[in-house]
Amino acid sequence: MESATGEERGRRHRFVLVHGVCHGAWCWYRVATILRSAGHRVDALDMAACGASPGRADEVGSFEEYSRPLLDVLAALPPGEKAVLVGHSYGGQSLALAIQAHPDRVAVAVFASAAMPVAGKPMKFVSEQFAQERGPGFFKDCVIETAGDDPRRPCKTFLLGPEYMAEKLYQLSPPEDLTLATMLVRPSGQIEDDATMNGEGVLTAERYGAVSRVYIVAEEDKSWSPEFQRLMASWNPGTEVRGLEGADHMPMFSKPREFSDLLVEIANKYV
């Protein structure tokens, strides 16, 4: 049977891809290639101080500033155009903020093994709940440091460790992609104390909750479990849940073709 990226050749979608913690637009290179070769428009973004974006993590003052590249892309869409948003891992938080800001510019939001906040609760609710699931020593060789030039405003940064990446994130992905990732990951700021992450009214049912949302469960994820992924989806009424068999935490590497086909299938359904 022809793959979803080859079906309905007349249908073209605009995908906006958002990476997770410590990663950048580079992590979408396989999926972006597949989607573009099928005629779709793809914007793979670097969040602030990520990927090829200039600046350091400790220079990003707020979560809104971190998510500004995504907010700006949606704000700049031509009148009447809607995008298919795809957020991976921590990128789900940026997706939620962007949906709240521009619900009329989002055709469907896809959370791929991603943090999925809840309307009416602080955005950091997800990380608080995840902290209860993971055990001691979970993050292995990941590095948390205090950075910044201003001692009055210390900034904690988080960097994924190669052992953690190999065992928890990339265990089913091609080894060359793991090698690439260990070379390209950058420290991310732990921004959880600002108003965006703590405010209970930041995400509303009338805006964030009004957009069609789909959760893709990475069924072999060893970072947050498939059960926790489904739990996050259950906090958001009306969310469609799709499972991706054989996918580790990085479905864009472990199952790029199947993941891309599923994204197009979802876009065809909701756009």
Side-chain angles (χ1 to χ4, degrees), residues 17-95:
L17 311 179
V18 182
H19 62 82
V21 68
C22 301
H23 286 66
W26 56 265
C27 73
W28 295 104
Y29 80 94
R30 291 183 184 272
V31 168
T33 300
I34 292 169
L35 293 176
R36 286 171 179 155
S37 68
H40 302 288
R41 181 169 178 178
V42 179
D43 297 300
L45 307 179
D46 282 321
M47 296 298 99
C50 296
S53 173
R56 303 191 312 265
D58 60 90
E59 296 172 335
V60 180
S62 68
F63 186 71
E64 183 173 346
E65 183 181 345
Y66 171 85
S67 304
R68 178 55 54 191
L70 173 59
L71 296 169
D72 288 348
V73 165
L74 287 186
L77 287 178
E81 183 173 339
K82 294 187 176 186
V84 177
L85 299 189
V86 184
H88 172 251
S89 195
Y90 188 69
Q93 301 276 37
S94 296
L95 236 63

Side-chain angles (χ1 to χ4, degrees), residues 7 19 38 41 47 74 76 78 87 121 156 158 165 167-168 171 184 205 208 221 232 234 263:
E7 294 174 353
H19 62 82
R41 181 169 178 178
M47 296 298 99
L74 287 186
K121 290 186 179 293
K156 283 188 176 181
F158 176 85
M165 293 170 68
E167 293 186 14
K168 299 279 191 181
Q171 83 274 8
L184 295 179
Y208 169 62
D221 196 332
M232 287 189 284
S234 74
L263 292 178

Side-chain angles (χ1 to χ4, degrees), residues 177-188:
D177 288 326
L178 171 60
T179 300
L180 176 71
T182 60
M183 294 175 175
L184 295 179
V185 290
R186 295 175 59 183
S188 286

Side-chain angles (χ1 to χ4, degrees), residues 218-238:
E219 298 288 7
E220 302 298 329
D221 196 332
K222 291 189 176 181
S223 177
W224 39 36
S225 66
E227 292 77 18
F228 187 76
Q229 294 173 61
R230 288 185 167 86
L231 177 62
M232 287 189 284
S234 74
W235 296 334
N236 293 273

